[in-house]
Amino acid sequence: MALELYLDLYSQPCRSVYIFAKKNNIPFDLRRLSLLDGEQYGEEFGKINMIRKAPALRDGDFCLAESIAILLYLAEKFQTPDFWYPADLQQRARVNEYLSWQHMAIRMHGSKMFWLRLLIPKVLGVEVPQDKLDAALEDLNGSLKLIEEKFLQDRPFIAGDHISLADLVAIVEVMQPVGSGLDVFEGRPKLSAWRDRVQDAIGKELFDDAHRTIMGSQEAVKLMDGSKMQVFKPKILRLFL
Amino acid sequence: MELYLDMHSPPCRLVFLFAKAVGIPFEFKHVELSTGQHYSEEFGKISMIRKVPVMKDGSFILTESIAILKYMVQKYSSSVADHWYPADLQQRARVNEYLSWQHMNIRAHASKVFLLRAVFPVIMGSEVPKEKMDAAVEDLNQSLNLLEEKFLQNKQFIVGDKISLADIVALIEVMQPLGTGLNVFEGRPKLSAWRERVKKELGEKLFDEAHEVIMKVGSLPEKMQNNSQLEMLRPKFQKLFR
């Protein structure tokens, strides 16, 4: 049985796993999961990941959650090129530093922006107060500033001269608010240049393929049936508002 | 090696405990978060993210406790036993899975409960709204349930028979609300038994030493109230409660 990856490409961590597997020619069966339809709460998926989040991996009878863990597992199992997760002590530390920092920073802030700008008003039908949007934007700007000034500085990529897991995990998160119509690259030439380098390293075709879903969000929400999400509404509002 | 630490902070206790437990020598550099020392110009030169812990090894500066732990394991690989971060593919994946999940779950929720109970009244000048407190405790309980039901199950430790980084990362966070009078172990015999096993592996004396400050956190509000920097710190702390 081939390795299975349970993915929803609306989700940033699903995109990083997808891109990494494809780029490294890792054979896998794509099991599409629709988070917005609540498929993560199904009985079958619960057996694979009781945390009920995506991405999830099933390799034989070994199941694994958390994109960072999945990326590191795939890198080790398939012996991907060193630059993805350098063996060098300090370079690896730089990658680990970013992978750790990003959870409660860009990941949280980019996600929030996507929910506040798009899903909450357009699908749940709840108006988002301007002060919440402003606070969320302030937080997002703070994270983007740290990416530029601490994690990139004057390096082409986060760990140095080559792309690594850090850049991959970063780019998919930075793209999330872009999907909601907020161009975070505008007025940020350093970030834009880095994005171009990351796209080149991944390959534009693969990058665009992975981001097709999120970039079509603004149109997709017009057709979305919000009724399936209503049961999650209180939890979502508590989380983001 | 220098470690910049405030023992009120769980990730600081984490790197302190691990380094001491495996015998990695370091110089303890105290950072007092309650007086805003992390906002000083001097600390800004160490880390512009202005958080703790920070590791300085020669001229190499590293933030993020998880990264610091992995750096220590790799650098001192000849003296750090395999079980801390197993070379076995699946066991290592289990450790990484926990280390990743915990940021937005146990860590976030235990910290929030701690901050609401210990810091909110001083910073906001009022009691914590009941709804806010209840929601935070509910979130923490859900995380603790997952810790027990998914990560521990019927095993001795998160990975299996032996302690690993995951167990220390978990326990220091679970300990956070304790000093504020919220006994998260009450009614959780499985969690309590696990705590005792982890303490025993690390060394009870060392564990208690690391947690001395957080267990006395009752005096923190008074300390902050009397601090001349409070007005400067207030807006920064207020963001935590936004």
Side-chain angles (χ1 to χ4, degrees), chain A residues 115-169:
Chain A
W115 277 93
L116 292 183
R117 281 179 65 97
L118 221 53
L119 294 176
I120 291 173
K122 304 274 196 281
V123 183
L124 286 180
V126 173
E127 203 185 310
V128 178
Q130 189 60 42
D131 66 318
K132 292 282 179 189
L133 277 167
D134 291 343
L137 186 60
E138 196 190 325
D139 287 339
L140 177 60
N141 284 336
S143 281
L144 291 168
K145 187 163 188 263
L146 275 171
I147 289 177
E148 288 189 304
E149 293 176 17
K150 186 263 176 316
F151 291 102
L152 280 171
Q153 293 175 31
D154 49 10
R155 293 185 289 269
F157 297 97
I158 290 171
D161 292 331
H162 293 284
I163 193 172
S164 72
L165 289 177
D167 305 281
L168 181 54
V169 167

Side-chain angles (χ1 to χ4, degrees), chain B residues 177-203:
Chain B
L178 229 63
T180 68
L182 183 68
N183 186 4
V184 295
F185 294 104
E186 196 179 313
R188 289 181 188 272
K190 183 190 264 190
L191 206 67
S192 302
W194 164 76
R195 177 200 63 213
E196 290 309 302
R197 287 191 293 271
V198 177
K199 273 175 83 164
K200 193 158 170 242
E201 289 299 315
L202 289 170

Side-chain angles (χ1 to χ4, degrees), chain B residues 14-213:
Chain B
L14 174 62
V15 300
F16 175 89
L17 273 167
F18 183 69
K20 288 266 179 187
V22 300
I24 293 170
F26 67 90
E27 199 185 323
F28 188 118
K29 297 286 225 185
H30 182 69
V31 180
E32 184 65 47
L33 297 177
S34 69
T35 60
Q37 197 185 335
H38 49 313
Y39 294 113
S40 70
E41 205 185 303
E42 203 187 319
F43 189 79
K45 292 179 188 156
I46 304 282
S47 170
M48 66 181 295
I49 302 182
R50 298 186 176 281
K51 290 188 184 218
V52 284
V54 183
M55 178 201 85
K56 192 162 180 280
D57 193 13
S59 59
F60 184 65
I61 293 177
L62 187 63
T63 65
E64 293 295 317
S65 65
I66 302 299
I68 294 170
L69 282 182
K70 290 187 177 184
Y71 177 91
M72 287 178 175
V73 167
Q74 191 178 345
K75 181 168 178 176
Y76 295 94
S77 58
S78 53
S79 55
V80 174
D82 177 74
H83 62 78
W84 288 112
Y85 193 48
D88 174 78
L89 183 67
Q90 290 188 7
Q91 287 187 359
R92 180 166 287 199
R94 284 280 163 254
V95 176
N96 285 329
E97 186 185 55
Y98 186 80
L99 261 43
S100 173
W101 174 83
Q102 59 94 27
H103 288 273
M104 292 281 286
N105 291 281
I106 289 268
R107 170 149 178 68
H109 301 143
S111 283
K112 187 151 198 184
V113 168
F114 167 78
L115 287 169
L116 287 176
R117 288 175 71 96
V119 173
F120 185 101
V122 159
I123 291 296
M124 306 300 274
S126 62
E127 285 306 303
V128 185
K130 188 177 186 304
E131 207 184 85
K132 209 177 173 79
M133 194 65 191
D134 288 349
V137 173
E138 173 62 30
D139 284 340
L140 177 57
N141 278 329
Q142 282 184 19
S143 283
L144 290 170
N145 290 343
L146 270 172
L147 174 55
E148 288 190 295
E149 293 163 26
K150 185 248 171 340
F151 292 101
L152 276 169
Q153 293 172 28
N154 295 315
K155 296 171 279 162
Q156 296 288 291
F157 299 98
I158 289 173
V159 172
D161 292 333
K162 300 213 174 136
I163 192 172
S164 72
L165 294 179
D167 300 285
I168 341 174
V169 171
L171 187 53
I172 42 92
E173 296 292 348
V174 174
M175 291 297 289
Q176 193 69 353
L178 229 63
T180 68
L182 183 68
N183 186 4
V184 295
F185 294 104
E186 196 179 313
R188 289 181 188 272
K190 183 190 264 190
L191 206 67
S192 302
W194 164 76
R195 177 200 63 213
E196 290 309 302
R197 287 191 293 271
V198 177
K199 273 175 83 164
K200 193 158 170 242
E201 289 299 315
L202 289 170
E204 296 226 13
K205 201 167 151 217
L206 173 63
F207 187 87
D208 290 342
E209 183 197 336
H211 286 85
E212 203 182 321
V213 157

